Amino acid sequence: MLENKDEYFKLVRQHIVDVLMEFTVTDDKGNEIDKLIGVVSGGTINVDSGSSVRRTASLSITPTRQITNINEKSLIWLNKNVSIRVGILDQRTKKRTWFNQGVYLYENASTTYDASNNLLTVDLSDWVLKLDGTVNGQVGGMLTTVLQAYDEDE
């Protein structure tokens, strides 16, 4: 990390800004499954204090490597946690400074990977989806259980 705020201002005000995004994918136990670094070609990361889901991200990324396998143990699967970091290259020192953007979940099943163009498109939301039951764009149902307060006498 940089020493003071002036160094941060110099970093983001460079004439040539080289930005990469890093996705670290983990399972529910925190085990790292995959790490993907790429150039963002479009999208947004939003923070909205008026919404129950505070942080959302909708991104199109050109990964620095091809994604070869898509299955339940790979980068693109609905039950994964995704930590996002943005890295900016300092043109003078050639060192990259990384900024954490939060931990997200796949919001819905619309994540796509176009192998011919090497383009990954994702929609992510923060962990509030785990609290309100909207994980992966579906609200899970709960069984209704009736408990008797007491047994009635005949």
Side-chain angles (χ1 to χ4, degrees):
M1 295 303 283
L2 299 174
E3 299 280 325
N4 60 43
K5 65 179 180 179
D6 291 331
E7 291 183 37
Y8 286 110
F9 287 128
K10 286 179 186 175
L11 182 67
V12 297
R13 291 182 180 168
Q14 299 176 106
H15 291 289
I16 299 172
V17 180
D18 181 349
V19 179
L20 288 179
M21 204 164 259
E22 177 186 80
F23 292 85
T24 304
V25 180
T26 61
D27 60 13
D28 285 334
K29 296 177 183 173
N31 301 320
E32 185 176 312
I33 295 171
D34 201 354
K35 189 175 281 191
L36 181 74
I37 296 176
V39 177
V40 176
S41 57
T44 60
I45 294 178
N46 293 320
V47 180
D48 183 3
S49 64
S51 172
S52 64
V53 178
R54 304 291 178 172
R55 292 176 178 259
T56 58
S58 179
L59 302 166
S60 295
I61 305 110
T62 303
T64 54
R65 64 174 168 86
Q66 292 283 94
I67 297 173
T68 55
N69 239 352
I70 297 179
N71 58 38
E72 66 273 1
K73 295 188 180 195
S74 68
L75 174 75
I76 306 171
W77 208 257
L78 294 177
N79 62 346
K80 304 293 187 261
N81 301 318
V82 181
S83 298
I84 299 178
R85 296 190 324 156
V86 174
I88 301 175
L89 181 68
D90 189 331
Q91 297 296 331
R92 295 168 309 200
T93 64
K94 300 302 181 194
K95 292 183 181 176
R96 194 169 295 278
T97 302
W98 293 95
F99 300 93
N100 289 328
Q101 299 297 309
V103 180
Y104 296 84
L105 296 169
Y106 288 103
E107 183 177 320
N108 52 42
S110 68
T111 299
T112 58
Y113 176 65
D114 180 3
S116 62
N117 294 324
N118 192 28
L119 186 67
L120 175 66
T121 305
V122 294
D123 290 323
L124 305 165
S125 293
D126 67 10
W127 275 19
V128 172
L129 295 183
K130 286 187 173 185
L131 297 175
D132 70 2
T134 335
V135 176
N136 305 328
Q138 300 175 2
V139 176
M142 184 168 176
L143 298 174
T144 303
T145 304
V146 178
L147 300 174
Q148 297 292 330
Y150 61 92
D151 290 329
E152 292 188 24
D153 291 336
E154 302 289 326

